Amino acid sequence: MTAIVVARIRVTDADKYESYKPLSKQAIEEFGGRYLVRGAAPTTLEGQSDDVRYVVVEFASVEAATKFYDSPGYLRARQAREGASETVIDVVEGV
């Protein structure tokens, strides 16, 4: 079953955040991830919207998504992102 990683990101330092993006992309691709949404701001249809952008990535399984997140490559990306954003990342099983 596929897995969907959903990241809600509030960028606090745009210049520093730029160094995260290529590292993250490389790690995602290494584990077979495919971007469905990349850095898009939502159009809120209901409720209170936060000032965030979304990244949505599909992986073959929750296991693949977890391996991506725990990988040395993505650890480097997360370290590059420190102090550049407030980020929440969830993984859910797809259909």
Side-chain angles (χ1 to χ4, degrees):
M1 182 168 293
T2 63
I4 306 298
V5 171
V6 179
R8 296 179 305 265
I9 304 159
R10 179 176 293 111
V11 175
T12 56
D13 183 335
D15 291 335
K16 186 172 183 181
Y17 190 79
E18 286 301 312
S19 66
Y20 162 78
K21 290 164 50 174
L23 296 171
S24 176
K25 181 179 186 291
Q26 182 178 359
I28 286 168
E29 291 173 351
E30 180 181 341
F31 287 87
R34 179 175 71 96
Y35 284 102
L36 301 177
V37 175
R38 188 169 185 200
T43 299
T44 301
L45 300 177
E46 184 174 333
Q48 181 69 28
S49 180
D50 295 327
D51 182 26
V52 297
R53 63 173 84 184
Y54 283 81
V55 175
V56 179
V57 179
E58 180 182 50
F59 286 91
S61 65
V62 170
E63 180 183 18
T66 302
K67 285 182 179 180
F68 143 74
Y69 185 82
D70 293 335
S71 71
Y74 195 62
L75 175 59
R76 283 189 297 279
R78 292 194 330 253
Q79 290 169 338
R81 188 184 70 216
E82 285 181 14
S85 70
E86 297 169 4
T87 302
V88 175
I89 299 175
D90 297 310
V91 61
V92 294
E93 285 189 356
V95 292

